Amino acid sequence: MPRYKPNNYWSPKYRIMTCLVCWTNERPHNAKGMCSRCLGRWRWKNDEKWKARTMSLTAAWRKNNPDKWKAIMRKANKKFNKS
Ligand SMILES: [Zn+2]
């Protein structure tokens, strides 16, 4: 049994079986009744401080890892051009 499902609740704290936004329990609960992906999206819309910090962290990482960043962008472009 996965560690994040005590008492069969996806989130015992919120007493819910799935993420409130995407209705799946594929990812572990993160916070506010949401999985990590939905929480990230929610924060992106609602948490300016978090967004600013994330963006500056991403920018710093990009600066320190230009080759990795290029690889990611190449992959993303491939995916985008396919569909
Ligand atoms: Zn979700």
Side-chain angles (χ1 to χ4, degrees):
M1 192 196 258
R3 202 162 53 89
Y4 54 86
K5 275 189 194 168
N7 308 322
N8 283 328
Y9 280 118
W10 182 65
S11 166
K13 189 184 166 190
Y14 290 88
R15 300 196 161 230
I16 50 174
M17 306 302 283
T18 69
C19 168
L20 289 172
V21 179
C22 63
W23 295 92
T24 69
N25 55 12
E26 287 161 22
R27 288 169 288 274
H29 175 251
N30 200 303
K32 297 182 189 292
M34 288 182 263
C35 65
S36 52
R37 197 181 67 177
C38 295
L39 183 77
R41 284 184 186 168
W42 180 87
R43 278 191 163 152
W44 198 256
K45 277 190 196 159
N46 296 284
D47 192 338
E48 288 297 326
K49 265 188 198 165
W50 180 87
K51 188 176 171 178
R53 208 188 56 166
T54 303
M55 280 169 87
S56 73
L57 280 175
T58 307
W61 179 88
R62 225 182 282 169
K63 228 180 183 176
N64 294 328
N65 303 272
D67 294 335
K68 274 187 194 169
W69 174 247
K70 266 185 216 159
I72 288 172
M73 287 312 283
R74 220 176 300 148
K75 241 187 191 173
N77 282 334
K78 242 188 199 169
K79 209 175 169 185
F80 182 75
N81 292 332
K82 244 188 222 167
S83 53

Coordinates of all heavy atoms in Angstrom, one line a residue:
M1 N 0.9 -1.2 0.0 CA 0.0 0.0 0.0 C 0.9 1.3 0.0 O 1.8 1.3 0.8 CB -0.9 0.0 1.3 CG -2.0 1.0 1.2 SD -2.7 1.3 2.8 CE -4.2 0.4 2.7
P2 N 0.6 2.2 -0.9 CA 1.4 3.4 -0.9 C 1.4 4.2 0.4 O 0.3 4.2 1.1 CB 0.8 4.3 -2.0 CG -0.1 3.3 -2.8 CD -0.5 2.2 -1.9
R3 N 2.5 4.8 0.7 CA 2.6 5.5 2.0 C 1.6 6.6 2.2 O 1.2 7.0 3.2 CB 4.0 6.0 2.1 CG 4.5 6.3 3.5 CD 6.0 6.4 3.5 NE 6.5 7.3 2.5 CZ 6.6 8.6 2.7 NH1 6.4 9.1 3.9 NH2 7.0 9.4 1.8
Y4 N 1.2 7.2 1.0 CA 0.4 8.4 1.1 C -1.1 8.0 1.2 O -2.0 8.9 1.0 CB 0.6 9.3 -0.1 CG 0.5 8.6 -1.5 CD1 -0.7 8.6 -2.1 CD2 1.6 8.1 -2.1 CE1 -0.8 8.0 -3.3 CE2 1.6 7.5 -3.3 CZ 0.3 7.5 -3.9 OH 0.2 6.9 -5.2
K5 N -1.5 6.8 1.4 CA -2.9 6.4 1.5 C -3.2 5.7 2.8 O -3.8 4.7 2.8 CB -3.2 5.5 0.3 CG -3.6 6.2 -1.0 CD -4.1 5.1 -1.9 CE -4.1 5.6 -3.3 NZ -4.4 4.5 -4.3
P6 N -3.0 6.4 3.9 CA -3.4 5.7 5.2 C -4.9 5.8 5.3 O -5.5 6.7 4.8 CB -2.7 6.6 6.3 CG -2.5 7.9 5.6 CD -2.3 7.6 4.1
N7 N -5.5 4.7 5.8 CA -7.0 4.6 5.9 C -7.7 4.7 4.6 O -8.8 5.0 4.5 CB -7.5 5.7 6.9 CG -6.8 5.7 8.2 OD1 -6.4 4.7 8.7 ND2 -6.6 6.9 8.7
N8 N -6.9 4.4 3.5 CA -7.5 4.5 2.2 C -7.9 5.9 1.7 O -8.4 6.0 0.6 CB -8.7 3.5 2.0 CG -8.3 2.1 1.9 OD1 -7.2 1.8 1.4 ND2 -9.0 1.2 2.4
Y9 N -7.6 6.8 2.5 CA -7.9 8.2 2.0 C -6.6 8.6 1.2 O -5.5 8.4 1.6 CB -8.0 9.2 3.2 CG -9.4 9.2 3.8 CD1 -9.6 8.9 5.1 CD2 -10.5 9.6 3.0 CE1 -10.8 8.9 5.7 CE2 -11.8 9.6 3.6 CZ -11.9 9.2 4.9 OH -13.1 9.3 5.4
W10 N -6.9 9.3 0.1 CA -5.8 9.9 -0.6 C -5.2 11.0 0.2 O -4.0 11.1 0.3 CB -6.3 10.5 -2.0 CG -5.2 11.0 -2.8 CD1 -4.2 10.3 -3.4 CD2 -5.1 12.4 -3.2 NE1 -3.4 11.2 -4.2 CE2 -3.9 12.5 -4.1 CE3 -5.8 13.6 -3.0 CZ2 -3.5 13.7 -4.7 CZ3 -5.4 14.7 -3.5 CH2 -4.3 14.8 -4.4
S11 N -6.0 11.8 0.9 CA -5.6 12.8 1.8 C -6.4 12.6 3.1 O -7.5 13.1 3.2 CB -5.7 14.2 1.3 OG -5.6 15.1 2.3
P12 N -5.8 12.0 4.1 CA -6.6 11.8 5.4 C -7.0 13.2 6.0 O -8.0 13.3 6.6 CB -5.6 11.1 6.3 CG -4.5 10.6 5.4 CD -4.5 11.4 4.1
K13 N -6.1 14.2 5.8 CA -6.4 15.5 6.4 C -7.7 16.1 5.8 O -8.5 16.7 6.5 CB -5.2 16.4 6.1 CG -5.2 17.7 6.9 CD -4.1 18.6 6.5 CE -4.3 20.0 7.0 NZ -3.4 20.9 6.5
Y14 N -7.8 15.9 4.5 CA -9.0 16.5 3.9 C -10.1 15.5 3.7 O -11.2 15.8 3.2 CB -8.6 17.1 2.5 CG -7.8 18.3 2.6 CD1 -6.4 18.3 2.7 CD2 -8.4 19.6 2.7 CE1 -5.6 19.4 2.8 CE2 -7.6 20.7 2.8 CZ -6.2 20.6 2.9 OH -5.5 21.8 3.0
R15 N -9.9 14.2 4.1 CA -10.8 13.1 3.9 C -11.4 13.0 2.5 O -12.6 13.0 2.3 CB -12.0 13.3 5.0 CG -11.4 13.3 6.3 CD -12.5 13.1 7.4 NE -11.8 12.7 8.6 CZ -12.2 11.6 9.3 NH1 -13.2 10.9 8.9 NH2 -11.6 11.3 10.4
I16 N -10.5 13.0 1.6 CA -10.9 12.9 0.2 C -10.2 11.7 -0.4 O -9.1 11.3 0.0 CB -10.6 14.2 -0.7 CG1 -9.2 14.6 -0.4 CG2 -11.6 15.3 -0.3 CD1 -8.8 15.8 -1.3
M17 N -10.8 11.2 -1.5 CA -10.2 10.0 -2.2 C -9.3 10.4 -3.4 O -8.5 9.6 -3.8 CB -11.3 9.0 -2.6 CG -12.2 8.6 -1.5 SD -11.4 7.8 -0.1 CE -11.1 6.2 -0.8
T18 N -9.6 11.6 -3.9 CA -8.8 12.0 -5.1 C -8.4 13.5 -5.0 O -9.0 14.2 -4.1 CB -9.6 11.8 -6.4 OG1 -10.7 12.7 -6.4 CG2 -10.1 10.4 -6.6
C19 N -7.6 13.9 -5.9 CA -7.3 15.3 -6.0 C -8.6 16.1 -6.3 O -9.4 15.6 -7.1 CB -6.3 15.5 -7.1 SG -6.0 17.2 -7.5
L20 N -8.8 17.2 -5.7 CA -10.0 18.0 -5.8 C -10.1 18.6 -7.2 O -11.2 18.9 -7.7 CB -10.1 19.1 -4.8 CG -10.3 18.8 -3.4 CD1 -10.1 20.0 -2.5 CD2 -11.7 18.1 -3.2
V21 N -9.0 18.7 -7.9 CA -9.0 19.4 -9.2 C -9.1 18.4 -10.4 O -10.0 18.5 -11.2 CB -7.8 20.3 -9.4 CG1 -7.8 21.0 -10.7 CG2 -7.8 21.4 -8.2
C22 N -8.2 17.5 -10.4 CA -8.1 16.5 -11.5 C -8.8 15.2 -11.3 O -8.9 14.4 -12.2 CB -6.6 16.3 -11.9 SG -5.6 15.5 -10.7
W23 N -9.3 15.0 -10.1 CA -10.0 13.8 -9.7 C -9.2 12.5 -9.9 O -9.8 11.5 -10.3 CB -11.4 13.7 -10.5 CG -12.2 14.8 -10.1 CD1 -12.3 16.1 -10.7 CD2 -13.2 14.8 -9.0 NE1 -13.2 16.8 -10.0 CE2 -13.8 16.1 -9.0 CE3 -13.5 13.9 -8.0 CZ2 -14.7 16.5 -8.0 CZ3 -14.5 14.2 -7.1 CH2 -15.1 15.5 -7.1
T24 N -7.9 12.5 -9.8 CA -7.2 11.3 -9.8 C -6.4 11.2 -8.6 O -6.1 12.2 -7.9 CB -6.2 11.2 -11.0 OG1 -5.2 12.2 -10.8 CG2 -6.9 11.5 -12.3
N25 N -5.9 10.0 -8.3 CA -5.0 9.8 -7.1 C -3.7 9.2 -7.6 O -3.1 8.4 -6.9 CB -5.7 8.9 -6.0 CG -6.2 7.6 -6.6 OD1 -5.8 7.2 -7.7 ND2 -7.0 6.9 -5.8
E26 N -3.4 9.4 -8.8 CA -2.2 8.9 -9.4 C -0.9 9.5 -8.8 O 0.1 8.8 -8.6 CB -2.1 9.1 -10.9 CG -3.1 8.2 -11.7 CD -3.4 8.8 -13.1 OE1 -2.5 9.6 -13.6 OE2 -4.4 8.5 -13.6
R27 N -1.0 10.7 -8.4 CA 0.1 11.4 -7.8 C -0.2 11.5 -6.3 O -1.4 11.6 -5.9 CB 0.3 12.8 -8.4 CG 0.8 12.8 -9.8 CD 0.7 14.2 -10.4 NE -0.7 14.5 -10.7 CZ -1.3 14.1 -11.8 NH1 -0.6 13.5 -12.8 NH2 -2.6 14.4 -12.0
P28 N 0.9 11.6 -5.5 CA 0.6 11.8 -4.0 C 0.0 13.2 -3.7 O 0.2 14.1 -4.5 CB 2.0 11.7 -3.4 CG 3.0 11.5 -4.5 CD 2.3 11.4 -5.8
H29 N -0.7 13.2 -2.6 CA -1.3 14.5 -2.2 C -0.2 15.4 -1.8 O 0.8 15.1 -1.3 CB -2.2 14.2 -0.9 CG -2.7 15.5 -0.3 ND1 -2.3 16.0 0.9 CD2 -3.7 16.3 -0.8 CE1 -2.9 17.1 1.1 NE2 -3.8 17.4 0.1
N30 N -0.4 16.7 -2.2 CA 0.6 17.7 -1.9 C 0.1 18.6 -0.8 O 0.6 18.6 0.3 CB 1.0 18.4 -3.1 CG 2.4 19.1 -3.0 OD1 2.5 19.9 -2.1 ND2 3.3 18.8 -3.8
A31 N -0.9 19.5 -1.1 CA -1.4 20.4 -0.1 C -2.7 20.9 -0.6 O -3.1 20.8 -1.8 CB -0.4 21.5 0.1
K32 N -3.6 21.4 0.3 CA -4.8 22.0 0.0 C -5.8 21.1 -0.8 O -6.6 21.5 -1.5 CB -4.6 23.3 -0.8 CG -3.9 24.4 -0.1 CD -3.8 25.6 -1.0 CE -2.8 26.6 -0.4 NZ -3.4 27.2 0.9
G33 N -5.6 19.8 -0.6 CA -6.5 18.8 -1.3 C -6.1 18.6 -2.7 O -6.9 18.1 -3.5
M34 N -4.9 19.0 -3.1 CA -4.5 18.9 -4.5 C -3.2 18.1 -4.6 O -2.4 18.1 -3.7 CB -4.3 20.3 -5.1 CG -5.6 21.1 -5.3 SD -5.2 22.7 -6.0 CE -5.2 23.8 -4.6
C35 N -3.1 17.5 -5.8 CA -1.8 16.8 -6.1 C -0.8 17.9 -6.5 O -1.1 19.1 -6.6 CB -2.0 15.9 -7.3 SG -2.4 16.6 -8.8
S36 N 0.5 17.4 -6.6 CA 1.6 18.4 -6.8 C 1.3 19.2 -8.1 O 1.6 20.4 -8.2 CB 2.9 17.6 -6.9 OG 2.8 16.6 -7.8
R37 N 0.8 18.5 -9.2 CA 0.6 19.2 -10.4 C -0.4 20.3 -10.3 O -0.2 21.4 -10.8 CB 0.2 18.2 -11.5 CG 0.4 18.7 -12.9 CD -0.1 17.7 -14.0 NE -1.5 17.5 -13.9 CZ -2.2 16.7 -14.7 NH1 -1.5 16.0 -15.6 NH2 -3.5 16.6 -14.6
C38 N -1.6 20.0 -9.7 CA -2.7 20.9 -9.6 C -2.3 22.0 -8.6 O -2.6 23.2 -8.8 CB -3.9 20.2 -9.1 SG -4.5 19.1 -10.3
L39 N -1.5 21.7 -7.5 CA -1.1 22.7 -6.6 C -0.2 23.7 -7.3 O -0.3 24.9 -7.1 CB -0.4 22.1 -5.4 CG 0.0 23.1 -4.3 CD1 -1.2 23.5 -3.5 CD2 1.1 22.5 -3.5
G40 N 0.7 23.2 -8.2 CA 1.6 24.1 -8.9 C 0.8 25.0 -9.8 O 1.1 26.2 -9.8
R41 N -0.2 24.5 -10.4 CA -1.1 25.4 -11.3 C -1.8 26.4 -10.5 O -1.9 27.5 -10.8 CB -2.1 24.5 -12.0 CG -1.5 23.8 -13.2 CD -2.5 23.0 -13.9 NE -1.9 22.2 -14.9 CZ -2.5 21.2 -15.6 NH1 -3.8 21.0 -15.4 NH2 -1.9 20.5 -16.5
W42 N -2.3 25.9 -9.3 CA -3.1 26.8 -8.4 C -2.2 27.9 -8.0 O -2.6 29.1 -8.0 CB -3.7 26.0 -7.3 CG -4.4 26.8 -6.3 CD1 -5.8 27.1 -6.4 CD2 -3.9 27.5 -5.1 NE1 -6.1 27.9 -5.3 CE2 -5.0 28.2 -4.6 CE3 -2.7 27.6 -4.5 CZ2 -4.9 28.9 -3.4 CZ3 -2.5 28.3 -3.4 CH2 -3.6 29.0 -2.8
R43 N -1.0 27.5 -7.5 CA 0.0 28.6 -7.0 C 0.3 29.5 -8.1 O 0.5 30.7 -7.9 CB 1.2 27.9 -6.5 CG 1.0 27.4 -5.1 CD 2.3 27.0 -4.5 NE 2.2 26.9 -3.1 CZ 2.9 26.1 -2.3 NH1 3.8 25.3 -2.9 NH2 2.8 26.0 -1.1
W44 N 0.5 29.0 -9.3 CA 0.9 29.9 -10.5 C -0.2 31.0 -10.7 O 0.2 32.1 -11.0 CB 1.0 29.0 -11.7 CG 1.8 29.7 -12.8 CD1 1.3 30.2 -13.9 CD2 3.2 29.8 -12.8 NE1 2.3 30.7 -14.7 CE2 3.5 30.5 -14.0 CE3 4.3 29.4 -12.0 CZ2 4.8 30.8 -14.4 CZ3 5.5 29.8 -12.4 CH2 5.8 30.4 -13.5
K45 N -1.4 30.6 -10.4 CA -2.5 31.6 -10.6 C -2.7 32.5 -9.4 O -3.1 33.6 -9.5 CB -3.8 30.9 -10.8 CG -4.0 30.5 -12.3 CD -5.5 30.0 -12.5 CE -5.6 29.2 -13.7 NZ -6.8 28.3 -13.7
N46 N -2.5 31.9 -8.2 CA -3.0 32.6 -6.9 C -1.9 33.1 -6.0 O -2.1 33.8 -5.1 CB -3.9 31.6 -6.1 CG -5.1 31.3 -6.9 OD1 -6.0 32.1 -7.0 ND2 -5.2 30.1 -7.5
D47 N -0.7 32.6 -6.2 CA 0.4 32.9 -5.3 C 1.5 33.7 -6.0 O 2.4 33.1 -6.5 CB 0.9 31.6 -4.7 CG 1.8 31.9 -3.5 OD1 2.3 33.0 -3.3 OD2 1.9 30.9 -2.6
E48 N 1.4 35.0 -6.0 CA 2.4 35.8 -6.7 C 3.8 35.7 -6.2 O 4.8 35.6 -6.9 CB 2.0 37.3 -6.7 CG 0.8 37.6 -7.5 CD 1.0 37.4 -9.0 OE1 2.2 37.6 -9.4 OE2 0.1 37.0 -9.7
K49 N 3.9 35.6 -4.9 CA 5.2 35.5 -4.2 C 5.9 34.2 -4.7 O 7.1 34.1 -5.0 CB 5.1 35.4 -2.7 CG 5.3 36.8 -2.1 CD 5.3 36.6 -0.6 CE 5.1 38.0 0.1 NZ 4.8 37.8 1.5
W50 N 5.1 33.1 -4.6 CA 5.6 31.8 -5.0 C 6.0 31.8 -6.5 O 7.1 31.3 -6.9 CB 4.6 30.7 -4.8 CG 5.0 29.3 -5.1 CD1 5.7 28.5 -4.3 CD2 4.8 28.7 -6.4 NE1 5.9 27.3 -5.0 CE2 5.4 27.4 -6.3 CE3 4.2 29.0 -7.6 CZ2 5.3 26.5 -7.3 CZ3 4.2 28.1 -8.6 CH2 4.7 26.9 -8.5
K51 N 5.2 32.4 -7.3 CA 5.4 32.5 -8.8 C 6.8 33.3 -9.0 O 7.6 32.8 -9.8 CB 4.3 33.2 -9.4 CG 4.3 33.2 -10.9 CD 3.1 33.9 -11.5 CE 3.3 34.0 -13.0 NZ 2.1 34.6 -13.6
A52 N 6.9 34.4 -8.3 CA 8.1 35.2 -8.5 C 9.4 34.4 -8.1 O 10.4 34.4 -8.8 CB 8.0 36.5 -7.7
R53 N 9.2 33.7 -7.0 CA 10.4 32.9 -6.5 C 10.7 31.8 -7.5 O 11.9 31.5 -7.8 CB 10.0 32.3 -5.1 CG 11.3 32.1 -4.3 CD 10.9 31.3 -3.0 NE 10.3 30.1 -3.4 CZ 10.1 29.1 -2.5 NH1 10.5 29.2 -1.3 NH2 9.6 27.9 -2.9
T54 N 9.7 31.1 -7.9 CA 9.9 30.0 -8.9 C 10.5 30.5 -10.1 O 11.4 29.8 -10.7 CB 8.5 29.3 -9.2 OG1 7.9 28.9 -8.0 CG2 8.7 28.1 -10.1
M55 N 10.0 31.6 -10.6 CA 10.5 32.1 -11.9 C 12.0 32.5 -11.7 O 12.8 32.3 -12.6 CB 9.7 33.3 -12.4 CG 8.4 32.9 -13.1 SD 7.3 34.2 -13.4 CE 7.9 34.8 -14.9
S56 N 12.4 33.1 -10.6 CA 13.8 33.5 -10.4 C 14.6 32.3 -10.2 O 15.8 32.2 -10.7 CB 13.9 34.5 -9.2 OG 13.7 33.8 -8.0
L57 N 14.1 31.2 -9.5 CA 14.8 30.0 -9.4 C 15.0 29.3 -10.7 O 16.1 28.8 -11.0 CB 14.1 29.0 -8.5 CG 14.2 29.3 -7.0 CD1 13.3 28.3 -6.2 CD2 15.6 29.1 -6.5
T58 N 14.0 29.3 -11.6 CA 14.1 28.7 -12.9 C 15.1 29.5 -13.7 O 15.9 28.9 -14.4 CB 12.7 28.7 -13.6 OG1 11.8 28.1 -12.7 CG2 12.7 28.0 -14.9
A59 N 15.1 30.8 -13.6 CA 16.0 31.6 -14.4 C 17.5 31.3 -14.0 O 18.4 31.2 -14.8 CB 15.7 33.1 -14.2
A60 N 17.7 31.2 -12.7 CA 19.0 30.9 -12.2 C 19.5 29.5 -12.6 O 20.6 29.3 -13.0 CB 19.0 31.0 -10.6
W61 N 18.5 28.6 -12.5 CA 18.9 27.2 -13.0 C 19.2 27.2 -14.4 O 20.2 26.5 -14.9 CB 17.7 26.3 -12.7 CG 17.9 24.9 -13.1 CD1 18.5 23.9 -12.4 CD2 17.7 24.3 -14.4 NE1 18.6 22.7 -13.1 CE2 18.1 22.9 -14.3 CE3 17.1 24.8 -15.6 CZ2 18.0 22.1 -15.4 CZ3 17.0 23.9 -16.6 CH2 17.4 22.6 -16.6
R62 N 18.5 27.9 -15.2 CA 18.7 28.0 -16.7 C 20.1 28.5 -17.0 O 20.8 28.0 -17.9 CB 17.6 28.9 -17.3 CG 17.0 28.3 -18.5 CD 16.1 29.3 -19.1 NE 14.8 29.3 -18.4 CZ 13.9 30.3 -18.6 NH1 14.1 31.3 -19.4 NH2 12.7 30.2 -17.9
K63 N 20.5 29.5 -16.2 CA 21.8 30.1 -16.4 C 22.9 29.2 -16.1 O 23.9 29.1 -16.7 CB 21.9 31.3 -15.4 CG 22.4 32.6 -16.1 CD 22.4 33.7 -15.0 CE 22.9 35.0 -15.6 NZ 22.8 36.1 -14.6
N64 N 22.7 28.3 -15.0 CA 23.7 27.4 -14.6 C 23.7 26.1 -15.4 O 24.7 25.4 -15.3 CB 23.5 27.0 -13.1 CG 23.7 28.2 -12.2 OD1 24.6 29.1 -12.5 ND2 23.0 28.3 -11.1
N65 N 22.6 25.8 -16.1 CA 22.5 24.6 -16.8 C 22.0 24.9 -18.3 O 21.0 24.4 -18.7 CB 21.5 23.6 -16.2 CG 21.9 23.3 -14.7 OD1 22.6 22.4 -14.5 ND2 21.3 24.1 -13.8
P66 N 22.8 25.6 -19.0 CA 22.3 26.0 -20.4 C 22.1 24.8 -21.3 O 21.2 24.8 -22.1 CB 23.4 26.9 -20.9 CG 24.6 26.7 -20.0 CD 24.1 26.2 -18.7
D67 N 23.0 23.8 -21.1 CA 22.9 22.6 -22.0 C 21.6 21.8 -21.7 O 20.9 21.3 -22.6 CB 24.1 21.7 -21.9 CG 25.4 22.4 -22.4 OD1 25.2 23.3 -23.2 OD2 26.5 22.1 -21.9
K68 N 21.4 21.6 -20.4 CA 20.2 20.9 -20.0 C 18.9 21.6 -20.5 O 18.0 21.0 -20.9 CB 20.1 20.8 -18.5 CG 20.9 19.6 -18.0 CD 20.6 19.4 -16.5 CE 21.6 18.4 -15.9 NZ 21.6 18.4 -14.4
W69 N 18.9 22.9 -20.3 CA 17.8 23.8 -20.7 C 17.6 23.6 -22.2 O 16.4 23.5 -22.7 CB 18.0 25.2 -20.3 CG 17.0 26.1 -20.8 CD1 17.1 27.1 -21.8 CD2 15.6 26.2 -20.4 NE1 15.9 27.7 -22.0 CE2 15.0 27.2 -21.2 CE3 14.9 25.4 -19.5 CZ2 13.6 27.4 -21.0 CZ3 13.5 25.7 -19.4 CH2 12.9 26.7 -20.1
K70 N 18.6 23.6 -23.0 CA 18.5 23.5 -24.5 C 17.9 22.1 -24.8 O 17.0 22.0 -25.7 CB 19.9 23.6 -25.1 CG 20.2 25.0 -25.6 CD 21.6 24.9 -26.3 CE 22.4 26.2 -26.1 NZ 23.8 26.1 -26.3
A71 N 18.3 21.1 -24.1 CA 17.8 19.7 -24.3 C 16.3 19.7 -24.0 O 15.5 19.1 -24.8 CB 18.5 18.7 -23.5
I72 N 15.9 20.3 -22.9 CA 14.5 20.4 -22.6 C 13.7 21.1 -23.6 O 12.6 20.6 -24.0 CB 14.3 21.0 -21.2 CG1 14.9 20.1 -20.1 CG2 12.8 21.3 -20.9 CD1 14.9 20.7 -18.7
M73 N 14.2 22.2 -24.1 CA 13.5 23.0 -25.1 C 13.4 22.2 -26.4 O 12.3 22.3 -27.1 CB 14.2 24.3 -25.3 CG 14.0 25.3 -24.2 SD 12.3 25.5 -23.6 CE 11.6 26.5 -24.9
R74 N 14.4 21.5 -26.7 CA 14.4 20.7 -28.0 C 13.3 19.7 -27.9 O 12.5 19.5 -28.8 CB 15.8 20.1 -28.2 CG 16.2 20.1 -29.6 CD 17.6 19.5 -29.8 NE 18.5 20.3 -29.0 CZ 19.6 19.8 -28.4 NH1 19.9 18.5 -28.5 NH2 20.5 20.5 -27.7
K75 N 13.2 19.0 -26.7 CA 12.2 18.0 -26.5 C 10.8 18.6 -26.6 O 9.9 18.1 -27.2 CB 12.4 17.4 -25.1 CG 12.7 15.9 -25.1 CD 12.7 15.4 -23.7 CE 13.2 14.0 -23.6 NZ 13.4 13.6 -22.2
A76 N 10.7 19.7 -26.0 CA 9.4 20.4 -25.9 C 8.9 20.8 -27.3 O 7.8 20.7 -27.7 CB 9.4 21.6 -25.0
N77 N 9.9 21.3 -28.1 CA 9.5 21.8 -29.5 C 9.1 20.6 -30.3 O 8.2 20.7 -31.1 CB 10.8 22.5 -30.1 CG 10.9 23.9 -29.6 OD1 9.9 24.5 -29.2 ND2 12.1 24.4 -29.6
K78 N 9.9 19.5 -30.2 CA 9.5 18.3 -30.9 C 8.1 17.9 -30.6 O 7.3 17.6 -31.5 CB 10.5 17.1 -30.5 CG 11.3 16.6 -31.6 CD 12.1 15.4 -31.1 CE 13.3 15.1 -31.9 NZ 14.1 14.0 -31.3
K79 N 7.7 17.8 -29.3 CA 6.4 17.4 -28.9 C 5.4 18.4 -29.5 O 4.3 18.0 -29.9 CB 6.4 17.5 -27.4 CG 5.4 16.5 -26.7 CD 5.6 16.5 -25.2 CE 4.5 15.8 -24.5 NZ 4.6 16.0 -23.1
F80 N 5.7 19.7 -29.4 CA 4.7 20.7 -29.8 C 4.5 20.6 -31.3 O 3.4 20.7 -31.8 CB 5.3 22.1 -29.5 CG 4.4 23.2 -29.9 CD1 3.3 23.5 -29.1 CD2 4.7 24.0 -31.0 CE1 2.4 24.5 -29.5 CE2 3.8 25.0 -31.3 CZ 2.7 25.3 -30.6
N81 N 5.6 20.3 -32.1 CA 5.5 20.3 -33.6 C 4.7 19.0 -34.0 O 4.2 19.0 -35.1 CB 6.9 20.4 -34.2 CG 7.5 21.8 -34.0 OD1 6.7 22.7 -33.8 ND2 8.8 21.8 -33.9
K82 N 4.8 18.0 -33.2 CA 4.1 16.7 -33.6 C 2.6 16.9 -33.6 O 2.0 16.4 -34.6 CB 4.5 15.7 -32.5 CG 5.3 14.5 -33.2 CD 5.4 13.4 -32.1 CE 6.8 12.9 -32.1 NZ 7.0 12.0 -30.9
S83 N 2.1 17.6 -32.7 CA 0.6 17.6 -32.5 C 0.0 18.8 -33.3 O 0.7 19.6 -33.9 CB 0.2 17.6 -31.1 OG 0.9 18.7 -30.4
Ligands
ZN1 ZN -4.6 17.1 -9.3

